[in-house]
Amino acid sequence: MCRLFGMHAGPGPVHATFWLLTAPDSLAEQSRRMADGFGIGVFDPGGKPVMDKAPVAAYEDRAYASAARTLEGTTFVAHVRYASTGGNTLVNTHPFLQDDRMLAHNGVVEDLDVLDDRLRSLEVLDLVRGETDSERVFALITGIARENGGDLGDALTQAVTWIAENLRLYAVNLVITTESELWAVRYPDTHPLYVLQEGSEDPHRGKNSARISVKSDEMEQNKIPAVLVATERMDENPNWRMMDSGEILRVDRNLNTERSFPLPQHPQHLLTLADLDPHTAASQHPLKAAGA
Protein backbone atom coordinates (compact mmCIF):
# COMPACT_ATOMS: atom_id res chain seq x y z
CA MET A 1 0.00 0.00 0.00
CA CYS A 2 1.05 3.63 -0.41
CA ARG A 3 3.06 5.21 2.37
CA LEU A 4 1.87 8.49 3.88
CA PHE A 5 3.75 10.86 6.16
CA GLY A 6 2.83 14.26 7.54
CA MET A 7 4.59 16.47 10.05
CA HIS A 8 3.72 19.76 11.71
CA ALA A 9 6.62 21.44 13.52
CA GLY A 10 4.69 24.31 15.04
CA PRO A 11 5.41 27.99 14.32
CA GLY A 12 8.81 27.02 12.86
CA PRO A 13 10.26 27.01 10.36
CA VAL A 14 12.62 24.06 10.77
CA HIS A 15 14.94 22.09 8.52
CA ALA A 16 14.22 18.40 8.01
CA THR A 17 15.98 15.85 5.81
CA PHE A 18 13.94 13.16 4.08
CA TRP A 19 14.83 9.92 2.36
CA LEU A 20 12.09 8.54 0.11
CA LEU A 21 11.79 5.07 -1.45
CA THR A 22 15.04 3.89 0.08
CA ALA A 23 15.31 4.25 3.83
CA PRO A 24 18.77 4.26 5.44
CA ASP A 25 18.70 0.46 5.68
CA SER A 26 18.04 0.37 1.89
CA LEU A 27 14.99 -1.08 0.25
CA ALA A 28 15.97 -0.66 -3.39
CA GLU A 29 15.02 -4.22 -4.25
CA GLN A 30 11.53 -3.88 -2.78
CA SER A 31 11.19 -0.53 -4.55
CA ARG A 32 12.15 -2.27 -7.81
CA ARG A 33 9.20 -4.60 -7.40
CA MET A 34 6.61 -2.19 -6.14
CA ALA A 35 7.15 1.58 -6.03
CA ASP A 36 5.58 3.75 -8.73
CA GLY A 37 6.77 7.14 -7.55
CA PHE A 38 7.39 9.45 -4.63
CA GLY A 39 6.80 13.01 -3.60
CA ILE A 40 7.30 15.47 -0.80
CA GLY A 41 5.70 18.85 -0.23
CA VAL A 42 6.41 21.73 2.15
CA PHE A 43 5.35 25.30 2.68
CA ASP A 44 8.54 27.33 2.76
CA PRO A 45 9.22 30.17 5.28
CA GLY A 46 7.43 32.59 2.95
CA GLY A 47 4.34 30.40 2.83
CA LYS A 48 4.97 29.26 -0.74
CA PRO A 49 4.16 25.61 -1.52
CA VAL A 50 7.16 23.64 -2.79
CA MET A 51 7.00 20.08 -4.14
CA ASP A 52 9.64 17.60 -5.21
CA LYS A 53 8.12 14.53 -6.82
CA ALA A 54 8.81 12.05 -9.58
CA PRO A 55 7.07 9.01 -11.12
CA VAL A 56 10.09 6.75 -10.79
CA ALA A 57 11.02 3.64 -8.87
CA ALA A 58 14.36 3.33 -7.15
CA TYR A 59 15.84 1.02 -9.77
CA GLU A 60 15.14 3.51 -12.61
CA ASP A 61 17.23 6.26 -11.07
CA ARG A 62 18.62 5.05 -7.77
CA ALA A 63 20.76 8.12 -7.17
CA TYR A 64 17.82 10.48 -7.65
CA ALA A 65 15.27 8.38 -5.81
CA SER A 66 17.45 7.76 -2.75
CA ALA A 67 19.01 11.23 -2.46
CA ALA A 68 18.56 13.09 0.81
CA ARG A 69 16.20 16.03 0.51
CA THR A 70 16.55 18.82 3.06
CA LEU A 71 13.58 21.15 3.19
CA GLU A 72 12.67 24.10 5.38
CA GLY A 73 9.14 24.77 6.54
CA THR A 74 6.53 24.15 9.21
CA THR A 75 4.25 21.55 7.61
CA PHE A 76 5.49 18.63 5.53
CA VAL A 77 3.75 15.87 3.59
CA ALA A 78 5.44 12.90 1.90
CA HIS A 79 4.12 9.98 -0.13
CA VAL A 80 5.44 6.82 -1.78
CA ARG A 81 3.03 5.60 -4.45
CA TYR A 82 1.91 2.11 -5.38
CA ALA A 83 -0.47 2.89 -8.23
CA SER A 84 -4.08 1.73 -8.09
CA THR A 85 -5.51 4.09 -10.72
CA GLY A 86 -3.65 6.09 -13.35
CA GLY A 87 -0.36 5.53 -15.08
CA ASN A 88 3.11 6.06 -13.71
CA THR A 89 3.36 9.75 -14.68
CA LEU A 90 4.19 13.01 -12.96
CA VAL A 91 0.60 14.28 -13.00
CA ASN A 92 -0.50 11.15 -11.13
CA THR A 93 2.20 11.42 -8.47
CA HIS A 94 1.39 12.69 -4.97
CA PRO A 95 1.23 15.12 -3.31
CA PHE A 96 -1.24 17.25 -5.23
CA LEU A 97 -1.61 21.01 -4.90
CA GLN A 98 -4.93 22.86 -5.04
CA ASP A 99 -5.83 26.28 -3.61
CA ASP A 100 -2.65 26.45 -1.50
CA ARG A 101 -3.26 23.07 0.08
CA MET A 102 -1.35 19.83 -0.48
CA LEU A 103 -2.83 16.35 -0.27
CA ALA A 104 -1.55 12.78 -0.25
CA HIS A 105 -3.92 9.81 -0.23
CA ASN A 106 -3.81 6.10 0.47
CA GLY A 107 -6.73 3.94 -0.62
CA VAL A 108 -9.12 3.28 -3.49
CA VAL A 109 -12.28 5.07 -4.58
CA GLU A 110 -14.21 3.73 -7.58
CA ASP A 111 -17.14 4.96 -9.72
CA LEU A 112 -15.01 7.84 -10.96
CA ASP A 113 -17.57 8.74 -13.63
CA VAL A 114 -20.06 9.50 -10.86
CA LEU A 115 -17.43 11.49 -9.01
CA ASP A 116 -16.60 13.44 -12.17
CA ASP A 117 -20.27 14.41 -12.49
CA ARG A 118 -20.18 15.77 -8.95
CA LEU A 119 -16.99 17.70 -9.74
CA ARG A 120 -18.66 19.22 -12.80
CA SER A 121 -21.54 20.40 -10.66
CA LEU A 122 -19.03 22.10 -8.36
CA GLU A 123 -17.16 23.51 -11.39
CA VAL A 124 -13.83 22.00 -10.27
CA LEU A 125 -13.28 19.16 -12.74
CA ASP A 126 -10.65 21.37 -14.41
CA LEU A 127 -8.50 20.93 -11.29
CA VAL A 128 -7.96 17.28 -12.22
CA ARG A 129 -4.82 17.00 -14.35
CA GLY A 130 -4.27 13.27 -14.12
CA GLU A 131 -6.16 9.99 -13.90
CA THR A 132 -6.16 9.16 -10.19
CA ASP A 133 -9.00 8.79 -7.76
CA SER A 134 -6.84 10.69 -5.25
CA GLU A 135 -6.73 13.92 -7.25
CA ARG A 136 -10.48 13.69 -7.81
CA VAL A 137 -11.13 13.25 -4.09
CA PHE A 138 -8.98 16.34 -3.51
CA ALA A 139 -10.96 18.31 -6.11
CA LEU A 140 -14.18 17.36 -4.33
CA ILE A 141 -12.79 18.69 -1.05
CA THR A 142 -11.57 21.83 -2.78
CA GLY A 143 -14.89 22.45 -4.51
CA ILE A 144 -16.83 22.19 -1.26
CA ALA A 145 -14.31 24.43 0.50
CA ARG A 146 -14.78 27.06 -2.19
CA GLU A 147 -18.54 26.93 -1.61
CA ASN A 148 -18.39 27.12 2.19
CA GLY A 149 -15.88 29.96 2.47
CA GLY A 150 -12.78 27.85 3.10
CA ASP A 151 -13.88 25.75 6.08
CA LEU A 152 -11.61 22.76 5.47
CA GLY A 153 -13.00 20.66 8.32
CA ASP A 154 -16.51 20.97 6.96
CA ALA A 155 -15.27 20.31 3.42
CA LEU A 156 -13.54 17.12 4.53
CA THR A 157 -16.66 15.96 6.35
CA GLN A 158 -18.96 16.68 3.43
CA ALA A 159 -16.61 15.19 0.84
CA VAL A 160 -15.86 11.92 2.60
CA THR A 161 -19.50 11.53 3.67
CA TRP A 162 -20.64 12.00 0.06
CA ILE A 163 -18.10 9.42 -1.10
CA ALA A 164 -19.21 7.00 1.63
CA GLU A 165 -22.85 7.34 0.58
CA ASN A 166 -22.47 7.36 -3.20
CA LEU A 167 -19.32 5.55 -4.35
CA ARG A 168 -17.68 2.19 -3.94
CA LEU A 169 -14.59 2.60 -1.79
CA TYR A 170 -11.87 0.54 -0.21
CA ALA A 171 -10.20 3.25 1.89
CA VAL A 172 -9.90 7.03 2.08
CA ASN A 173 -6.87 7.86 4.23
CA LEU A 174 -5.70 11.43 3.72
CA VAL A 175 -3.05 13.88 4.86
CA ILE A 176 -3.64 17.53 3.93
CA THR A 177 -1.31 20.40 4.77
CA THR A 178 -1.65 24.15 4.57
CA GLU A 179 0.85 26.82 5.55
CA SER A 180 -0.35 26.64 9.15
CA GLU A 181 -2.34 23.41 9.59
CA LEU A 182 -2.16 19.67 9.12
CA TRP A 183 -5.27 17.52 8.68
CA ALA A 184 -5.52 13.74 8.61
CA VAL A 185 -8.44 11.41 7.90
CA ARG A 186 -8.67 7.66 8.45
CA TYR A 187 -11.76 6.08 6.89
CA PRO A 188 -12.85 3.43 7.50
CA ASP A 189 -10.50 1.00 9.33
CA THR A 190 -9.09 -0.67 6.19
CA HIS A 191 -5.58 0.79 6.41
CA PRO A 192 -3.74 1.96 9.53
CA LEU A 193 -2.85 5.58 10.15
CA TYR A 194 -0.85 6.55 13.22
CA VAL A 195 -0.27 9.85 14.99
CA LEU A 196 2.47 10.87 17.42
CA GLN A 197 2.57 14.10 19.39
CA GLU A 198 6.13 14.84 20.49
CA GLY A 199 6.65 17.33 23.29
CA SER A 200 9.74 19.44 23.91
CA GLU A 201 10.78 16.90 26.53
CA ASP A 202 10.65 14.15 23.90
CA PRO A 203 12.49 15.73 20.95
CA HIS A 204 12.55 14.40 17.42
CA ARG A 205 15.45 11.99 16.96
CA GLY A 206 14.74 10.77 13.48
CA LYS A 207 11.97 8.53 12.24
CA ASN A 208 12.43 5.56 9.94
CA SER A 209 9.70 3.56 8.25
CA ALA A 210 9.86 0.95 5.53
CA ARG A 211 9.65 3.64 2.86
CA ILE A 212 9.99 7.13 4.34
CA SER A 213 12.66 8.38 6.73
CA VAL A 214 13.05 11.83 8.24
CA LYS A 215 15.62 13.41 10.52
CA SER A 216 16.04 16.94 11.88
CA ASP A 217 19.15 17.85 13.88
CA GLU A 218 17.61 21.26 14.45
CA MET A 219 14.50 19.80 16.07
CA GLU A 220 16.56 17.44 18.21
CA GLN A 221 19.09 20.03 19.38
CA ASN A 222 16.50 22.72 20.08
CA LYS A 223 13.92 20.33 21.52
CA ILE A 224 11.27 21.44 19.06
CA PRO A 225 7.93 19.64 19.51
CA ALA A 226 6.03 18.23 16.55
CA VAL A 227 3.00 16.19 15.52
CA LEU A 228 3.57 13.36 13.05
CA VAL A 229 1.14 11.22 11.05
CA ALA A 230 2.27 8.06 9.26
CA THR A 231 0.98 4.80 7.84
CA GLU A 232 3.17 2.89 10.31
CA ARG A 233 4.98 3.50 13.57
CA MET A 234 8.35 4.96 12.66
CA ASP A 235 10.25 4.30 15.90
CA GLU A 236 9.82 2.60 19.26
CA ASN A 237 8.15 5.56 20.94
CA PRO A 238 5.23 4.08 22.93
CA ASN A 239 3.09 7.16 22.32
CA TRP A 240 2.23 6.36 18.71
CA ARG A 241 -1.57 6.10 18.52
CA MET A 242 -3.58 4.54 15.74
CA MET A 243 -6.27 6.93 14.59
CA ASP A 244 -9.77 5.61 15.00
CA SER A 245 -11.93 4.67 12.05
CA GLY A 246 -13.75 7.78 10.87
CA GLU A 247 -11.48 10.15 12.77
CA ILE A 248 -10.63 13.59 11.39
CA LEU A 249 -7.57 15.13 13.05
CA ARG A 250 -6.66 18.83 12.90
CA VAL A 251 -3.31 20.23 14.05
CA ASP A 252 -3.07 24.02 14.24
CA ARG A 253 -0.12 26.41 14.10
CA ASN A 254 0.60 25.95 17.81
CA LEU A 255 0.34 22.14 17.63
CA ASN A 256 -3.01 22.06 19.35
CA THR A 257 -4.89 18.97 18.16
CA GLU A 258 -8.61 18.46 17.66
CA ARG A 259 -10.27 15.10 16.98
CA SER A 260 -13.76 14.74 15.51
CA PHE A 261 -15.88 11.83 14.33
CA PRO A 262 -18.47 13.27 11.92
CA LEU A 263 -18.30 10.54 9.25
CA PRO A 264 -20.76 7.69 8.72
CA GLN A 265 -19.87 4.64 10.78
CA HIS A 266 -19.89 2.41 7.71
CA PRO A 267 -19.61 3.21 3.99
CA GLN A 268 -22.64 2.21 1.94
CA HIS A 269 -20.54 0.39 -0.66
CA LEU A 270 -17.40 -0.89 1.07
CA LEU A 271 -15.09 -2.94 -1.15
CA THR A 272 -12.87 -5.83 -0.11
CA LEU A 273 -9.60 -6.89 -1.70
CA ALA A 274 -11.51 -9.60 -3.55
CA ASP A 275 -13.67 -6.93 -5.20
CA LEU A 276 -10.67 -5.11 -6.68
CA ASP A 277 -9.00 -5.95 -9.96
CA PRO A 278 -5.65 -7.73 -9.50
CA HIS A 279 -3.51 -4.63 -10.20
CA THR A 280 -5.44 -2.46 -7.77
CA ALA A 281 -5.54 -5.18 -5.14
CA ALA A 282 -1.77 -5.60 -5.37
CA SER A 283 -1.32 -1.88 -4.66
CA GLN A 284 -3.31 -2.20 -1.42
CA HIS A 285 -1.51 -5.10 0.21
CA PRO A 286 0.58 -4.22 3.28
CA LEU A 287 4.31 -4.12 2.50
CA LYS A 288 6.89 -6.04 4.41
CA ALA A 289 9.43 -4.16 6.45
CA ALA A 290 13.10 -4.30 5.64
CA GLY A 291 14.59 -7.72 6.08
CA ALA A 292 11.17 -9.39 6.29
Side-chain angles (χ1 to χ4, degrees):
M1 66 181 181
C2 299
R3 288 308 199 253
L4 292 176
F5 174 83
M7 182 170 73
H8 199 320
V14 300
H15 291 86
T17 300
F18 291 79
W19 293 263
L20 304 176
L21 288 184
T22 50
D25 55 1
S26 183
L27 289 163
E29 186 58 33
Q30 288 193 29
S31 292
R32 180 182 179 90
R33 291 195 306 269
M34 305 185 76
D36 294 308
F38 68 90
I40 183 168
V42 63
F43 288 85
D44 70 15
K48 178 183 177 182
V50 177
M51 292 191 296
D52 181 359
K53 60 181 185 175
V56 298
Y59 74 96
E60 292 177 311
D61 189 341
R62 188 170 300 182
Y64 180 66
S66 62
R69 288 165 167 77
T70 299
L71 302 170
E72 182 182 16
T74 56
T75 61
F76 303 80
V77 59
H79 185 269
V80 174
R81 181 176 186 238
Y82 300 88
S84 56
T85 60
N88 189 6
T89 61
L90 183 61
V91 292
N92 290 331
T93 304
H94 306 224
F96 302 102
L97 175 66
Q98 297 177 9
D99 287 5
D100 290 326
R101 305 180 188 98
M102 285 187 272
L103 171 143
H105 167 240
N106 177 24
V108 177
V109 173
E110 296 193 345
D111 302 315
L112 298 187
D113 55 338
V114 179
L115 180 50
D116 282 351
D117 287 342
R118 177 69 176 126
L119 298 182
R120 288 188 189 94
S121 73
L122 291 167
E123 299 183 349
V124 290
L125 186 58
D126 62 314
L127 294 176
V128 179
R129 310 294 185 185
E131 306 160 280
T132 66
D133 55 346
S134 304
E135 192 179 23
R136 286 170 164 80
V137 170
F138 194 12
L140 179 60
I141 296 166
T142 300
I144 296 171
R146 287 180 178 180
E147 283 194 335
N148 72 12
D151 185 334
L152 186 54
D154 177 68
L156 281 166
T157 299
Q158 287 197 49
V160 180
T161 296
W162 185 88
I163 291 168
E165 293 176 346
N166 293 279
L167 307 180
R168 292 173 294 161
L169 69 91
Y170 183 70
V172 184
N173 283 9
L174 306 172
V175 174
I176 296 180
T177 55
T178 72
E179 179 189 1
S180 61
E181 294 182 331
L182 181 149
W183 294 78
V185 178
R186 182 182 180 225
Y187 187 75
D189 59 357
T190 310
H191 289 318
L193 194 60
Y194 294 89
V195 59
L196 172 67
Q197 188 156 11
E198 293 185 316
S200 58
E201 73 286 349
D202 184 25
H204 179 89
R205 289 186 172 84
K207 307 294 179 189
N208 302 318
S209 78
R211 293 298 184 280
I212 298 171
S213 297
V214 59
K215 179 174 176 58
S216 173
D217 293 335
E218 180 180 350
M219 293 176 69
E220 180 178 349
Q221 293 166 5
N222 297 326
K223 298 183 177 181
I224 296 172
V227 176
L228 297 88
V229 176
T231 47
E232 56 200 331
R233 295 181 180 92
M234 301 178 73
D235 63 10
E236 298 303 317
N237 191 314
N239 294 322
W240 284 100
R241 172 185 69 83
M242 186 183 293
M243 292 177 60
D244 291 322
S245 176
E247 178 178 347
I248 297 180
L249 174 72
R250 173 180 176 259
V251 185
D252 71 12
R253 184 184 299 274
N254 296 311
L255 299 185
N256 299 308
T257 60
E258 298 176 6
R259 302 170 64 196
S260 61
F261 300 88
L263 303 177
Q265 185 174 3
H266 302 291
Q268 291 293 314
H269 311 287
L270 182 63
L271 298 170
T272 68
L273 275 179
D275 298 319
L276 305 177
D277 67 74
H279 175 76
T280 302
S283 75
Q284 298 303 304
H285 278 292
L287 301 179
K288 294 181 180 180

Short mmCIF file of all heavy atoms in Angstrom, two decimals, residues 179-210:
data_model
loop_
_atom_site.label_atom_id
_atom_site.label_comp_id
_atom_site.label_asym_id
_atom_site.label_seq_id
_atom_site.Cartn_x
_atom_site.Cartn_y
_atom_site.Cartn_z
N GLU A 179 -0.30 26.11 4.97
CA GLU A 179 0.85 26.82 5.55
C GLU A 179 0.87 26.69 7.07
O GLU A 179 1.95 26.63 7.68
CB GLU A 179 0.80 28.29 5.15
CG GLU A 179 1.93 29.12 5.73
CD GLU A 179 1.72 30.60 5.51
OE1 GLU A 179 0.69 30.98 4.91
OE2 GLU A 179 2.59 31.39 5.93
N SER A 180 -0.29 26.59 7.69
CA SER A 180 -0.35 26.64 9.15
C SER A 180 -0.99 25.42 9.79
O SER A 180 -0.95 25.28 11.02
CB SER A 180 -1.12 27.88 9.60
OG SER A 180 -2.45 27.86 9.11
N GLU A 181 -1.60 24.53 9.02
CA GLU A 181 -2.34 23.41 9.59
C GLU A 181 -1.98 22.09 8.92
O GLU A 181 -1.54 22.06 7.76
CB GLU A 181 -3.85 23.63 9.45
CG GLU A 181 -4.40 24.79 10.24
CD GLU A 181 -5.90 24.92 10.09
OE1 GLU A 181 -6.45 24.53 9.03
OE2 GLU A 181 -6.54 25.42 11.04
N LEU A 182 -2.23 21.03 9.66
CA LEU A 182 -2.16 19.67 9.12
C LEU A 182 -3.47 18.98 9.47
O LEU A 182 -3.95 19.07 10.61
CB LEU A 182 -0.98 18.90 9.70
CG LEU A 182 -0.76 17.46 9.20
CD1 LEU A 182 0.72 17.11 9.21
CD2 LEU A 182 -1.53 16.42 10.04
N TRP A 183 -4.04 18.29 8.49
CA TRP A 183 -5.27 17.52 8.68
C TRP A 183 -5.00 16.07 8.28
O TRP A 183 -4.24 15.83 7.33
CB TRP A 183 -6.40 18.07 7.82
CG TRP A 183 -6.86 19.44 8.18
CD1 TRP A 183 -6.24 20.63 7.89
CD2 TRP A 183 -8.05 19.78 8.91
NE1 TRP A 183 -6.97 21.68 8.37
CE2 TRP A 183 -8.09 21.20 9.01
CE3 TRP A 183 -9.09 19.03 9.46
CZ2 TRP A 183 -9.13 21.86 9.65
CZ3 TRP A 183 -10.12 19.70 10.11
CH2 TRP A 183 -10.13 21.09 10.20
N ALA A 184 -5.62 15.15 8.97
CA ALA A 184 -5.52 13.74 8.61
C ALA A 184 -6.89 13.09 8.76
O ALA A 184 -7.66 13.44 9.66
CB ALA A 184 -4.49 13.03 9.47
N VAL A 185 -7.18 12.14 7.87
CA VAL A 185 -8.44 11.41 7.90
C VAL A 185 -8.12 9.93 7.77
O VAL A 185 -7.33 9.53 6.89
CB VAL A 185 -9.38 11.83 6.75
CG1 VAL A 185 -10.67 11.01 6.79
CG2 VAL A 185 -9.69 13.32 6.81
N ARG A 186 -8.73 9.11 8.61
CA ARG A 186 -8.67 7.66 8.45
C ARG A 186 -10.10 7.15 8.29
O ARG A 186 -10.93 7.29 9.22
CB ARG A 186 -8.01 6.98 9.65
CG ARG A 186 -7.91 5.46 9.48
CD ARG A 186 -7.30 4.77 10.68
NE ARG A 186 -7.24 3.33 10.45
CZ ARG A 186 -7.60 2.41 11.35
NH1 ARG A 186 -8.01 2.75 12.56
NH2 ARG A 186 -7.53 1.12 11.05
N TYR A 187 -10.40 6.57 7.12
CA TYR A 187 -11.76 6.08 6.89
C TYR A 187 -11.76 4.97 5.85
O TYR A 187 -11.17 5.14 4.78
CB TYR A 187 -12.65 7.22 6.40
CG TYR A 187 -14.10 6.83 6.31
CD1 TYR A 187 -14.88 6.69 7.46
CD2 TYR A 187 -14.69 6.59 5.07
CE1 TYR A 187 -16.22 6.31 7.37
CE2 TYR A 187 -16.03 6.22 4.98
CZ TYR A 187 -16.79 6.09 6.13
OH TYR A 187 -18.11 5.72 6.05
N PRO A 188 -12.43 3.83 6.14
CA PRO A 188 -12.85 3.43 7.50
C PRO A 188 -11.64 2.88 8.25
O PRO A 188 -10.68 3.64 8.45
CB PRO A 188 -13.94 2.41 7.22
CG PRO A 188 -13.54 1.79 5.89
CD PRO A 188 -12.87 2.88 5.11
N ASP A 189 -11.64 1.57 8.59
CA ASP A 189 -10.50 1.00 9.33
C ASP A 189 -9.69 0.06 8.45
O ASP A 189 -8.99 -0.81 8.95
CB ASP A 189 -10.97 0.28 10.59
CG ASP A 189 -11.94 -0.86 10.29
OD1 ASP A 189 -12.30 -1.04 9.10
OD2 ASP A 189 -12.34 -1.55 11.24
N THR A 190 -9.76 0.24 7.13
CA THR A 190 -9.09 -0.67 6.19
C THR A 190 -7.58 -0.62 6.35
O THR A 190 -6.92 -1.66 6.47
CB THR A 190 -9.47 -0.31 4.75
OG1 THR A 190 -10.88 -0.20 4.65
CG2 THR A 190 -8.96 -1.35 3.78
N HIS A 191 -7.02 0.59 6.29
CA HIS A 191 -5.58 0.79 6.41
C HIS A 191 -5.26 1.52 7.71
O HIS A 191 -6.04 2.38 8.15
CB HIS A 191 -5.04 1.61 5.24
CG HIS A 191 -5.02 0.90 3.93
ND1 HIS A 191 -4.62 -0.41 3.80
CD2 HIS A 191 -5.31 1.34 2.67
CE1 HIS A 191 -4.69 -0.76 2.53
NE2 HIS A 191 -5.11 0.27 1.83
N PRO A 192 -4.11 1.24 8.31
CA PRO A 192 -3.74 1.96 9.53
C PRO A 192 -3.28 3.38 9.22
O PRO A 192 -2.83 3.69 8.11
CB PRO A 192 -2.58 1.12 10.08
CG PRO A 192 -1.97 0.49 8.87
CD PRO A 192 -3.11 0.21 7.94
N LEU A 193 -3.41 4.24 10.20
CA LEU A 193 -2.85 5.58 10.15
C LEU A 193 -2.56 5.99 11.59
O LEU A 193 -3.47 6.00 12.43
CB LEU A 193 -3.81 6.57 9.48
CG LEU A 193 -3.21 7.92 9.06
CD1 LEU A 193 -2.07 7.73 8.06
CD2 LEU A 193 -4.28 8.85 8.49
N TYR A 194 -1.30 6.28 11.86
CA TYR A 194 -0.85 6.55 13.22
C TYR A 194 -0.53 8.02 13.41
O TYR A 194 -0.13 8.72 12.46
CB TYR A 194 0.40 5.73 13.54
CG TYR A 194 0.18 4.24 13.59
CD1 TYR A 194 0.32 3.47 12.43
CD2 TYR A 194 -0.16 3.60 14.78
CE1 TYR A 194 0.12 2.09 12.47
CE2 TYR A 194 -0.35 2.22 14.82
CZ TYR A 194 -0.21 1.47 13.67
OH TYR A 194 -0.41 0.12 13.70
N VAL A 195 -0.64 8.48 14.66
CA VAL A 195 -0.27 9.85 14.99
C VAL A 195 0.60 9.84 16.25
O VAL A 195 0.40 9.02 17.15
CB VAL A 195 -1.53 10.74 15.19
CG1 VAL A 195 -2.41 10.20 16.31
CG2 VAL A 195 -1.14 12.17 15.47
N LEU A 196 1.58 10.72 16.27
CA LEU A 196 2.47 10.87 17.42
C LEU A 196 2.63 12.35 17.72
O LEU A 196 2.98 13.14 16.84
CB LEU A 196 3.85 10.27 17.12
CG LEU A 196 4.95 10.51 18.17
CD1 LEU A 196 4.61 9.80 19.49
CD2 LEU A 196 6.31 10.06 17.65
N GLN A 197 2.36 12.73 18.96
CA GLN A 197 2.57 14.10 19.39
C GLN A 197 3.80 14.13 20.28
O GLN A 197 3.81 13.60 21.38
CB GLN A 197 1.35 14.64 20.14
CG GLN A 197 1.45 16.13 20.45
CD GLN A 197 0.08 16.77 20.64
OE1 GLN A 197 -0.93 16.09 20.75
NE2 GLN A 197 0.05 18.10 20.69
N GLU A 198 4.86 14.74 19.76
CA GLU A 198 6.13 14.84 20.49
C GLU A 198 6.20 16.16 21.23
O GLU A 198 6.03 17.23 20.63
CB GLU A 198 7.32 14.77 19.54
CG GLU A 198 7.51 13.45 18.85
CD GLU A 198 8.78 13.44 18.02
OE1 GLU A 198 9.04 14.42 17.31
OE2 GLU A 198 9.51 12.45 18.10
N GLY A 199 6.46 16.11 22.52
CA GLY A 199 6.65 17.33 23.29
C GLY A 199 8.10 17.76 23.29
O GLY A 199 8.99 17.07 22.80
N SER A 200 8.36 18.93 23.85
CA SER A 200 9.74 19.44 23.91
C SER A 200 10.62 18.56 24.77
O SER A 200 11.84 18.53 24.61
CB SER A 200 9.75 20.88 24.44
OG SER A 200 9.14 20.93 25.73
N GLU A 201 10.00 17.81 25.69
CA GLU A 201 10.78 16.90 26.53
C GLU A 201 11.08 15.59 25.82
O GLU A 201 11.85 14.77 26.32
CB GLU A 201 10.02 16.63 27.84
CG GLU A 201 8.81 15.72 27.71
CD GLU A 201 7.61 16.39 27.05
OE1 GLU A 201 7.64 17.63 26.87
OE2 GLU A 201 6.64 15.67 26.70
N ASP A 202 10.48 15.39 24.66
CA ASP A 202 10.65 14.15 23.90
C ASP A 202 11.01 14.52 22.47
O ASP A 202 10.24 14.30 21.54
CB ASP A 202 9.37 13.33 23.93
CG ASP A 202 9.51 11.99 23.24
OD1 ASP A 202 10.64 11.47 23.17
OD2 ASP A 202 8.48 11.46 22.76
N PRO A 203 12.18 15.11 22.25
CA PRO A 203 12.49 15.73 20.95
C PRO A 203 12.64 14.71 19.83
O PRO A 203 12.97 13.54 20.05
CB PRO A 203 13.81 16.46 21.21
CG PRO A 203 14.44 15.69 22.32
CD PRO A 203 13.31 15.23 23.19
N HIS A 204 12.43 15.21 18.63
CA HIS A 204 12.55 14.40 17.42
C HIS A 204 13.98 13.88 17.27
O HIS A 204 14.94 14.64 17.28
CB HIS A 204 12.18 15.27 16.22
CG HIS A 204 12.30 14.57 14.91
ND1 HIS A 204 11.26 13.85 14.36
CD2 HIS A 204 13.33 14.47 14.05
CE1 HIS A 204 11.65 13.36 13.20
NE2 HIS A 204 12.90 13.72 12.99
N ARG A 205 14.13 12.58 17.13
CA ARG A 205 15.45 11.99 16.96
C ARG A 205 15.55 11.19 15.67
O ARG A 205 16.38 10.31 15.55
CB ARG A 205 15.78 11.08 18.16
CG ARG A 205 16.05 11.86 19.44
CD ARG A 205 16.53 10.93 20.56
NE ARG A 205 16.97 11.70 21.71
CZ ARG A 205 16.18 12.18 22.65
NH1 ARG A 205 14.88 11.95 22.58
NH2 ARG A 205 16.66 12.86 23.66
N GLY A 206 14.73 11.50 14.73
CA GLY A 206 14.74 10.77 13.48
C GLY A 206 13.71 9.67 13.49
O GLY A 206 13.52 8.98 14.48
N LYS A 207 13.02 9.53 12.36
CA LYS A 207 11.97 8.53 12.24
C LYS A 207 12.22 7.74 10.96
O LYS A 207 12.45 8.32 9.89
CB LYS A 207 10.59 9.19 12.16
CG LYS A 207 10.31 10.17 13.30
CD LYS A 207 10.23 9.49 14.64
CE LYS A 207 9.98 10.50 15.75
NZ LYS A 207 10.10 9.92 17.08
N ASN A 208 12.17 6.42 11.08
CA ASN A 208 12.43 5.56 9.94
C ASN A 208 11.28 4.57 9.77
O ASN A 208 10.94 3.84 10.69
CB ASN A 208 13.72 4.76 10.14
CG ASN A 208 14.92 5.66 10.35
OD1 ASN A 208 15.07 6.66 9.67
ND2 ASN A 208 15.75 5.30 11.31
N SER A 209 10.69 4.57 8.57
CA SER A 209 9.70 3.56 8.25
C SER A 209 10.24 2.72 7.10
O SER A 209 11.37 2.92 6.64
CB SER A 209 8.37 4.21 7.86
OG SER A 209 8.44 4.70 6.53
N ALA A 210 9.42 1.81 6.62
CA ALA A 210 9.86 0.95 5.53
C ALA A 210 10.02 1.69 4.22
O ALA A 210 10.61 1.16 3.29
CB ALA A 210 8.87 -0.20 5.35
#
